């Protein structure tokens, strides 16, 4: 947000449009807003694809970028009421998706911890499987001593 504030400050330093060539500069500024909007939408779509693929961390990052770009556009003073409503809806939607992903990531981490605890408890009860082979090597390997003469 600091970058957005700095950019807004720099934009306000620009002279107001009075000639035809300066009006072309204003159209360039409008196209910059359009680029920001398009990138926000692209990040949102990318986040949705990542979420569907189960890449939750990458999806969260994409939604965050999309939301920040949309919030940057909301800082514009000359934004129409309808445009502001659409952007606010996008920001709320991206925030909802981030919250949804945070909940899913928290649930995944809880499941991983409980699964590890369950596997440890089950492995120690049964005494079979790969875990028992790794934790008790003396039962599976013959007893060799260093420096002993086999003959």
């Amino acid at each position: 947000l600091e970058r957005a504030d700095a950019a807004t400050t720099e934009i306000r330093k620009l002279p107001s449009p009075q000639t035809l060539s300066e009006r072309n500069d204003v159209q360039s500024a409008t196209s910059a807003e359009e680029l920001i909007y398009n990138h926000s939408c692209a990040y949102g779509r990318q986040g949705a694809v990542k979420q569907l693929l189960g890449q939750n961390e990458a999806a969260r990052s994409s939604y965050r970028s999309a939301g920040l770009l949309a919030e940057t556009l909301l800082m514009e003073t000359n934004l129409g009421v309808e445009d502001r409503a659409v952007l606010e809806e996008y920001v709320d939607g991206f925030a909802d998706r981030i919250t949804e992903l945070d909940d899913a990531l928290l649930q995944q981490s809880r499941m991983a911890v409980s699964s590890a605890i369950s596997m440890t408890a089950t492995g120690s009860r049964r005494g079979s499987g790969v875990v028992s082979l790794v934790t008790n090597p003396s039962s599976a390997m013959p007893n060799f001593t260093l420096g002993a003469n086999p003959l």
Side-chain angles (χ1 to χ4, degrees):
L1 292 176
E2 291 174 9
R3 286 184 185 174
D5 291 338
T8 301
T9 302
E10 291 300 318
I11 289 172
R12 288 186 183 148
K13 291 179 183 177
L14 295 174
S16 62
Q18 294 178 1
T19 65
L20 182 60
S21 64
E22 289 176 347
R23 287 185 183 164
N24 287 337
D25 291 341
V26 170
Q27 288 175 349
S28 296
T30 302
S31 88
E33 292 169 348
E34 186 176 346
L35 284 172
I36 293 171
Y37 174 79
N38 289 337
H39 276 82
S40 176
C41 291
Y43 275 123
R45 284 189 299 273
Q46 183 182 26
V49 169
K50 300 281 186 192
Q51 187 175 7
L52 286 172
L53 294 174
Q55 301 170 353
N56 292 339
E57 289 290 337
R60 187 182 190 289
S61 176
S62 294
Y63 287 140
R64 182 176 179 271
S65 296
L68 289 174
L69 288 172
E71 284 179 341
T72 300
L73 290 174
L74 284 172
M75 288 190 247
E76 289 295 319
T77 56
N78 59 350
L79 196 60
V81 175
E82 291 177 7
D83 292 339
R84 183 169 297 281
V86 168
L87 287 171
E88 287 173 350
E89 200 172 306
Y90 283 169
V91 169
D92 291 342
F94 294 138
D96 290 344
R97 292 288 178 108
I98 290 171
T99 302
E100 180 182 318
L101 285 169
D102 285 344
D103 292 343
L105 289 168
L106 182 63
Q107 184 178 4
Q108 283 177 352
S109 66
R110 286 180 181 164
M111 288 177 61
V113 168
S114 67
S115 175
I117 291 171
S118 174
M119 287 179 66
T120 303
T122 304
S124 64
R125 269 196 317 252
R126 288 190 309 187
S128 62
V130 175
V131 174
S132 64
L133 292 175
V134 173
T135 58
N136 193 4
S138 61
S139 64
M141 300 282 292
N143 191 8
F144 291 111
T145 58
L146 291 176
N149 191 353
L151 295 174

